[in-house]
Amino acid sequence: MTAWRRDLHAHPELGFEETRTAAFVAAELRAAGIAVEEGLAVTGVVGTLQGRPGNRAVALRADMDALAMTEATGAAYSSITPGKMHACGHDGHTAMLLGAAKWLASHPDRFAGTVHFIFQPAEESRGGGQRMVEEGLFQRFPADAVYALHNLPGLPLGTIAVPKGPVLASSDTWQVVFRGRGTHGAKPHLGSDATLAAAQFIAALQTIVARDLDPMGVGVVSVGHMAAGNPAAPNVIPAEVLLRGTARALTADTRDLLEARIGAIAQGMAATHGVAADYLYTRRLSPTVNHTAQAALMHRAAGATVGAERALDDYPPITAGEDFSAMLEARPGAYAWLGTGAPAHPEGFHHNPHFDFNDAALATGAAFLASIVEAELPA
């Protein structure tokens, strides 16, 4: 698994471009005697393995894609492609699921039923999970439950956390364009200032979480991009200001609240300053929420793998997003965190150029995935 992981790390591919990775996965699955289907959601791969006779099926998912970043780890197996790197550990996820698949293929008497090994493309903001579901993933590969894990630097090595409910937040984008009437900066009374409306809108956004949201709830609204005017003409008040940002929520009700209030504040600020506001809210990823029964089973499998004292079931949710949520909306299932210990570099957390998956966690992750199958499909 270490050799696989480091090979994948050196050859990162972005979402829907994972042709080498998919071919690598398919070849290893076939070598283990596992039936393989390719091309779902462009580059997705699904392996299917039959154990002892049984009428139930379970699915395990790993993501394969990398990020558009330039690596700075200095590792001997660093990315050979400038501007692309495995900065979130999907190379490790792929290697662990391959390891679990090969072990189960060599021990088919350990479970009764069918296992589908889902190797998903384009998890990083390109919608690969949703696309797999839309293209008939669970119609072609029926599963009674679906499971996934993700590495987590900072969680002690050898520890597995399976949250009971919400795991990750929704991840949506919003855009507001304030449209006023541009004018000379020395004569503001001759125009209508979209910039002032935008500035007060940005400040007012934070009242959503501070005053509209239940204090016990979780929500995030952030501005990530703004554009206005021409830097070569600072004496001109621009006619338009573009703002784009992200909104995160752990529940559907909070998500609805954020969408409504961002728009209401934009329109209110526009009216106050005599300008117009065009508002667009785009729902991208739903919250990742574990199903009760499946989370309990996953927690038991974690205990069987690392011991009860290192299997956690009360880990707090994180406001990052994950498109495994699309699979959890289609089927019961659960999502876990695999502890990988302190990162080798002090900045080496997810989506950082110094990130590198800790190979010491590979055996634990693969064993955990196999244990889930044995728990779901007892022989």
Side-chain angles (χ1 to χ4, degrees), residues 208 212-214 252-262:
I208 299 174
D212 295 320
L213 184 61
D214 185 322
D253 288 346
T254 300
R255 193 183 197 186
D256 291 342
L257 171 68
L258 298 184
E259 179 177 2
R261 290 298 296 145
I262 294 170

Side-chain angles (χ1 to χ4, degrees), residues 167-192:
V167 184
L168 290 149
S170 57
S171 178
D172 299 332
T173 57
W174 55 264
Q175 174 178 297
V176 177
V177 180
F178 289 99
R179 304 184 191 278
R181 188 170 66 256
T183 184
H184 195 300
K187 300 177 181 180
H189 61 290
L190 299 180
S192 51

Side-chain angles (χ1 to χ4, degrees), residues 11 105 138:
H11 300 88
F138 293 118

Side-chain angles (χ1 to χ4, degrees), residues 91-161:
D91 49 346
H93 302 167
T94 298
M96 289 186 291
L97 186 54
L98 273 178
K102 289 217 169 193
W103 191 88
L104 289 166
S106 65
H107 297 81
D109 59 328
R110 297 289 295 264
F111 66 98
T114 303
V115 187
H116 300 299
F117 305 101
I118 303 169
F119 293 86
Q120 179 204 311
E123 188 279 329
E124 296 289 359
S125 301
R126 297 192 177 188
Q130 184 66 45
R131 184 161 176 177
M132 289 192 94
V133 171
E134 290 172 352
E135 291 188 8
L137 173 65
F138 293 118
Q139 287 70 47
R140 293 176 59 181
F141 308 98
D144 294 286
V146 60
Y147 296 91
L149 59 76
H150 200 291
N151 73 93
L152 188 60
L155 187 66
L157 184 67
T159 299
I160 298 172

Side-chain angles (χ1 to χ4, degrees):
M1 285 188 291
T2 298
W4 293 338
R5 204 282 298 182
R6 295 184 177 188
D7 179 86
L8 294 169
H9 187 90
H11 300 88
E13 296 171 302
L14 302 182
F16 298 126
E17 301 173 8
E18 307 96 335
T19 54
R20 182 188 186 276
T21 304
F24 181 99
V25 166
E28 292 292 343
L29 291 173
R30 290 191 175 103
I34 297 171
V36 175
E37 293 287 338
E38 299 177 74
L40 189 64
V42 186
T43 49
V45 178
V46 180
T48 298
L49 177 66
Q50 303 290 335
R52 297 179 64 181
N55 58 7
R56 298 186 71 252
V58 64
L60 304 176
R61 171 271 202 176
D63 35 18
M64 302 187 293
D65 57 325
L67 283 155
M69 301 175 63
T70 297
E71 184 162 355
T73 65
Y77 47 84
S78 290
S79 168
I80 64 170
T81 307
K84 299 178 185 179
M85 74 167 290
H86 273 291
C88 202
H90 297 184
D91 49 346
H93 302 167
T94 298
M96 289 186 291
L97 186 54
L98 273 178
K102 289 217 169 193
W103 191 88
L104 289 166
S106 65
H107 297 81
D109 59 328
R110 297 289 295 264
F111 66 98
T114 303
V115 187
H116 300 299
F117 305 101
I118 303 169
F119 293 86
Q120 179 204 311
E123 188 279 329
E124 296 289 359
S125 301
R126 297 192 177 188
Q130 184 66 45
R131 184 161 176 177
M132 289 192 94
V133 171
E134 290 172 352
E135 291 188 8
L137 173 65
F138 293 118
Q139 287 70 47
R140 293 176 59 181
F141 308 98
D144 294 286
V146 60
Y147 296 91
L149 59 76
H150 200 291
N151 73 93
L152 188 60
L155 187 66
L157 184 67
T159 299
I160 298 172
V162 187
K164 291 180 179 178
V167 184
L168 290 149
S170 57
S171 178
D172 299 332
T173 57
W174 55 264
Q175 174 178 297
V176 177
V177 180
F178 289 99
R179 304 184 191 278
R181 188 170 66 256
T183 184
H184 195 300
K187 300 177 181 180
H189 61 290
L190 299 180
S192 51
D193 195 346
T195 306
L196 185 56
Q200 295 193 359
F201 165 76
I202 292 171
L205 275 181
Q206 300 313 315
T207 65
I208 299 174
V209 173
R211 287 295 177 265
D212 295 320
L213 184 61
D214 185 322
M216 302 306 293
V218 177
V220 177
V221 180
S222 298
V223 179
H225 174 76
M226 59 189 302
N230 186 330
N235 61 339
V236 175
I237 295 175
E240 290 187 5
V241 180
L242 167 67
L243 300 171
R244 300 191 74 228
T246 186
R248 310 294 176 112
L250 292 178
T251 68
D253 288 346
T254 300
R255 193 183 197 186
D256 291 342
L257 171 68
L258 298 184
E259 179 177 2
R261 290 298 296 145
I262 294 170
I265 292 172
Q267 296 300 333
M269 287 300 173
T272 298
H273 294 282
V275 301
D278 297 333
Y279 175 52
L280 176 65
Y281 190 97
T282 303
R283 296 196 172 208
R284 296 176 54 255
L285 304 177
S286 298
T288 301
V289 181
N290 281 347
H291 295 245
T292 302
Q294 286 69 34
L297 181 144
M298 203 177 198
H299 181 250
R300 292 195 298 273
T305 305
V306 298
E309 71 284 356
R310 291 190 291 179
L312 311 179
D313 65 355
D314 59 353
Y315 200 80
I318 297 172
T319 52
E322 159 68 82
D323 76 351
F324 184 64
S325 58
M327 297 187 187
L328 290 181
E329 289 180 323
R331 289 292 184 275
Y335 186 92
W337 297 113
L338 174 68
T340 55
H345 189 281
E347 298 176 12
F349 291 88
H350 297 142
H351 293 221
N352 184 283
H354 294 285
F355 175 89
D356 190 14
F357 184 91
N358 185 355
D359 291 324
L362 289 169
T364 299
F368 176 42
L369 291 168
S371 293
I372 294 169
V373 173
E374 293 182 359
E376 270 281 6
L377 307 175

